[in-house]
Amino acid sequence: DLPPEVYRQAVDQADIAISITDPRANILYANAAFTAITGYSAEEIVGRNESVLSNHTTPARLYQEMWTHLAEQRPWSGRVLNRRKDGQLYLADLTISPVVGHDGTTTHFLGIHRDVTELN
Ligand code: FAD
């Protein structure tokens, strides 16, 4: 088994935006790449909901599909239009995975995203 500090550093330093939320998408953790992409420091984003990233132009249908998957403890991947802290928009390729506890309930969500604006 790897020491927890190794996992911590691997996630902190990964070259892709990573966040961990509670079951209601309130952010508990964000790595350095998340700050680089969104413009929000970990200090200012922790405690806020992932919806602060939404530009509110992604169709509600997409979020309904997302939350239906997550409620069934299935991962979801898709593209959403996000807004950085400075107001600039970017297209995010996003994967959300449920973290399931010993009792079978979803304790957290893991969010991983990258900016794919240039690829489109
Ligand atoms: P919301 O009030 O969240 O609702 C939009 C629709 O989603 C509603 O019609 C409702 O049916 C459904 N819904 C919302 N919450 C739930 C729930 N708990 N259970 C069931 N159905 C629900 N969104 C982004 O736009 N960009 C991101 O980068 C992003 N990253 C995320 C990362 C993680 C780890 C998680 C868990 C969520 C992420 N989200 C992201 C989704 C975000 O939490 C919001 O649901 C989304 O941004 C829509 O916000 P809203 O305020 O417009 O609408």
Side-chain angles (χ1 to χ4, degrees), residues 8-27:
R8 157 70 81 166
Q9 283 197 34
V11 173
D12 280 348
Q13 295 167 18
D15 190 24
I16 190 161
I18 297 176
S19 58
I20 299 173
T21 73
D22 73 5
R24 310 204 60 172
N26 299 310
I27 299 171

Side-chain angles (χ1 to χ4, degrees), residues 25 49-51 53-54 56 63-64 67 80 82 94 96 109 111:
N49 195 272
E50 296 275 7
S51 66
L53 296 178
S54 175
H56 300 292
Y63 293 121
Q64 279 154 20
W67 283 105
V80 292
N82 275 358
L94 170 67
I96 304 173
F109 289 113

Side-chain angles (χ1 to χ4, degrees), residues 12-18 30-42 44-45 53 83-86 88 90 113-115:
D12 280 348
Q13 295 167 18
D15 190 24
I16 190 161
I18 297 176
N31 74 351
F34 185 99
T35 295
I37 291 184
T38 67
Y40 291 101
S41 69
E44 58 192 355
I45 201 74
L53 296 178
R83 179 193 288 269
R84 293 186 228 280
K85 188 187 173 188
D86 68 5
Q88 203 190 352
Y90 69 98
H113 81 269
R114 60 198 181 97
D115 180 350

